[in-house]
Amino acid sequence: MKPFLVYSNNADYLRLVALNRLASGYHREDIISGGLAGWILAQYRKARLNLANISETPAYLQYAQPKSPLRDILITLVHELPTLYLTAKALFRPQDLTVSSFAVFQSYKANLDQTFYMLLLDISRALEFASYIKQLYDIEKIQNKVTDGDEPYPNSTHSAENGMAFELKDVSFAYAHTNSKDNAIRNVSLKIEAGQLVVIVGDNGSGKSTLIKLLTRLYDVDSGEILVDGLPIKSYRLSDIRQVQAVLTQDHQLFPLSLAENIGLGSTENLHDMEMIRQAAEDGGAADVIEKMTDGIETTLSPATTAESQYLDKERHKDLQEFYDGLENSTDVSGGERQRLVTSRTFMRFLGGGIRFAVADEPSSAMDPKAEHRLFQRFRESRQGKTLVFVTHRFGHLVKHADLIVRMKDGQVAELGTHSELMARGGEYSESYNVQAQAYADGQ
């Protein structure tokens, strides 16, 4: 086989590759919570139009794909002709089949078997592709389990100037397709007033993150009801709800785009406002991460990859191999740096305005204590007009600023109150807080 190296440096094609990666399940929560589906589709159409008649097929497949099947058909016919002849002769004139001709037939039997195998394989592939096409057209028939409402947000009876207000009434929820017999959330009832700073604490698996997914309507409750500003959460238009929410979790990921877009997509309307993007990076603690990059804010950490090579000899094709090795290199960042970049996207969302409910679900798990303290401080400084909810298993100093602390255990609300109230009760919250405080003091 001849050695080859193929790659693409067409900006619009690389854009399509990156946008296709955004459509994967890996970025699902980021796309839904950020309301980015419309932007992605618009960008895809734009790149596709710019490509005009250029194929979207990966370059290495285009290289390997024959321009016409005629050559391969002729080669196959010439190669298999003796086998076909002997087979026909055996079928229609068996009396003419001699020992020598039979021996020849046997020698070509493997080729005949391979021919039929490839024929069946091609038929199987054709049926598989037909199935994919059917699935594509069946997609539009799939019903979204989280149905849209028709009530605008804010509704006519609430201005929401101070933030979103929530009321949970005997809410229960279980994830589908799990082996657990217990609900993730069981009979939860609580109120969160507009403008409050709420801290949800509890051990892993206690239902903290599930509660957030219900408040942001990534899932709907199985039983009970959630009210937002006095109306059922299901009655509101999903697009309106998404537009006034900012969600930051440890599961949010960086996009295969430039750092500028990674941050700027917190507010698509201000995506080209570099001053606002830099301010968001500063607020999110990512300014120093950007500064150390060779291309600064235009750096793409995980660029779209198109390069493909085969049969390159390290000695004979040394220059070509070095060129290939230098293509489409990714840039690594630490877990804490990734979290700061994703956090900056959330602050960009704040700067864009209109946010009434902000959630931070374990956003600082990979951050050092100093960065974590700064993050919480910045969030508290941005709380004007917002209801803030923090989810954490590390209590720290944040709980002392909370208007309401919700301690979850086994999918239920175990304790409810302010820090001073819960400490005075001497329950499990008080015990857990003292254990963490002592561990921190010992570490000093």
Side-chain angles (χ1 to χ4, degrees):
M1 294 292 290
K2 293 182 179 180
F4 71 88
L5 165 63
V6 291
Y7 74 100
S8 174
N9 60 0
N10 182 293
D12 291 301
Y13 175 73
L14 294 176
R15 188 71 164 174
L16 284 185
V17 174
L19 293 170
N20 274 326
R21 285 171 60 186
L22 282 179
S24 69
Y26 185 70
H27 296 287
R28 178 181 179 274
E29 189 169 330
D30 304 80
I31 302 304
I32 293 175
S33 62
L36 299 179
W39 180 86
I40 293 173
L41 288 173
Q43 290 293 305
Y44 193 94
R45 292 191 191 101
K46 179 180 178 181
R48 179 59 266 178
L49 288 173
N50 289 341
L51 279 175
N53 62 345
I54 298 177
S55 174
E56 295 178 33
T57 304
Y60 69 91
L61 289 180
Q62 292 187 46
Y63 175 85
Q65 187 175 11
K67 303 302 180 185
S68 170
L70 182 60
R71 177 176 173 273
D72 287 343
I73 292 173
L74 290 174
I75 291 175
T76 301
L77 285 175
V78 171
H79 184 67
E80 302 295 349
L81 189 58
T83 302
L84 295 174
Y85 169 75
L86 288 172
T87 302
K89 190 173 183 179
L91 290 173
F92 298 106
R93 297 180 62 89
Q95 67 275 13
D96 294 339
L97 190 64
T98 63
V99 174
S100 59
S101 63
F102 182 76
V104 173
F105 179 80
Q106 283 290 94
S107 67
Y108 277 90
K109 182 178 182 298
N111 288 333
L112 184 63
D113 291 342
Q114 181 69 11
T115 300
F116 280 112
Y117 170 78
M118 293 303 297
L119 179 62
L120 291 173
L121 180 62
D122 288 341
I123 293 174
S124 175
R125 285 177 176 173
L127 293 174
E128 183 179 1
F129 291 148
S131 175
Y132 288 155
I133 294 172
K134 182 179 183 300
Q135 290 177 25
L136 180 64
Y137 283 96
D138 285 345
I139 287 175
E140 64 180 10
K141 301 177 183 178
I142 297 175
Q143 294 184 348
N144 192 341
K145 292 184 178 180
V146 180
T147 57
D148 206 358
D150 53 17
E151 181 74 26
Y153 188 89
N155 64 61
S156 57
T157 60
H158 285 75
S159 64
E161 290 182 359
N162 296 323
M164 273 188 175
F166 295 89
E167 182 177 2
L168 285 73
K169 296 183 175 182
D170 200 26
V171 167
S172 294
F173 171 79
Y175 290 102
H177 311 299
T178 62
N179 294 324
S180 176
K181 296 180 180 179
D182 298 326
N183 288 348
I185 292 290
R186 292 183 292 127
N187 310 117
V188 170
S189 296
L190 66 92
K191 284 187 178 182
I192 298 175
E193 303 294 342
Q196 281 190 323
L197 193 163
V198 180
V199 178
I200 303 175
V201 300
D203 298 331
N204 291 334
S206 61
K208 305 187 303 296
S209 295
T210 301
L211 190 58
I212 292 303
K213 287 179 170 61
L214 296 177
L215 291 176
T216 54
R217 215 187 164 207
L218 289 177
Y219 294 93
D220 277 335
V221 302
D222 292 332
S223 63
E225 187 177 36
I226 297 179
L227 303 180
V228 172
D229 293 350
L231 295 181
I233 192 172
K234 295 181 181 180
S235 66
Y236 291 105
R237 293 195 292 247
L238 279 169
S239 58
D240 288 3
I241 292 292
R242 303 273 185 259
Q243 191 172 0
V244 298
Q245 293 179 344
V247 183
L248 174 62
T249 78
Q250 61 179 326
D251 296 325
H252 282 184
Q253 305 295 332
L254 292 172
F255 302 140
L257 308 171
S258 69
L259 294 182
E261 284 190 311
N262 262 284
I263 297 172
L265 282 174
S267 176
T268 54
E269 299 84 357
N270 301 289
L271 187 55
H272 302 293
D273 189 332
M274 295 306 297
E275 184 177 347
M276 185 180 291
I277 290 174
R278 292 187 183 278
Q279 181 60 54
E282 180 67 32
D283 292 344
D288 60 331
V289 180
I290 294 171
E291 187 177 349
K292 75 176 187 179
M293 298 294 173
T294 304
D295 296 325
I297 205 164
E298 294 304 324
T299 301
T300 300
L301 298 179
S302 300
T305 55
T306 65
E308 181 77 16
S309 72
Q310 285 190 22
Y311 312 114
L312 293 182
D313 185 274
K314 292 183 179 180
E315 297 300 327
R316 289 187 299 152
H317 311 111
K318 183 177 180 181
D319 292 341
L320 198 58
Q321 184 65 53
E322 289 180 354
F323 177 74
Y324 172 74
D325 292 339
L327 291 172
E328 302 169 344
N329 289 331
S330 61
T331 304
D332 291 331
V333 293
S334 67
E337 289 172 333
R338 178 187 65 81
Q339 286 186 337
R340 282 188 275 169
L341 287 166
V342 173
T343 298
S344 297
R345 188 189 303 156
T346 301
F347 279 102
M348 182 71 181
R349 201 158 176 79
F350 288 172
L351 292 173
I355 300 301
R356 295 292 174 258
F357 178 46
V359 175
D361 184 357
E362 301 278 13
S364 57
S365 58
M367 291 184 183
D368 58 70
K370 184 178 179 180
E372 181 184 55
H373 175 79
R374 187 173 182 274
L375 167 63
F376 290 153
Q377 184 177 357
R378 288 289 192 183
F379 260 89
R380 288 193 293 108
E381 291 171 354
S382 305
R383 68 177 292 186
Q384 182 65 37
K386 305 177 187 68
T387 300
L388 296 184
V389 175
F390 288 89
V391 176
T392 183
H393 66 277
R394 297 189 302 200
F395 294 4
H397 68 284
L398 182 64
V399 291
K400 296 181 180 180
H401 300 278
D403 300 306
L404 178 67
I405 297 171
V406 181
R407 184 178 180 278
M408 299 293 296
K409 182 178 180 180
D410 298 330
Q412 295 182 302
V413 175
E415 294 179 275
L416 202 64
T418 64
H419 174 69
S420 58
E421 290 171 347
L422 295 179
M423 291 299 292
R425 291 176 193 169
E428 290 188 22
Y429 170 85
S430 174
E431 181 181 349
S432 298
Y433 180 85
N434 287 330
V435 168
Q436 289 193 24
Q438 183 61 46
Y440 179 79
D442 292 342
Q444 293 291 85

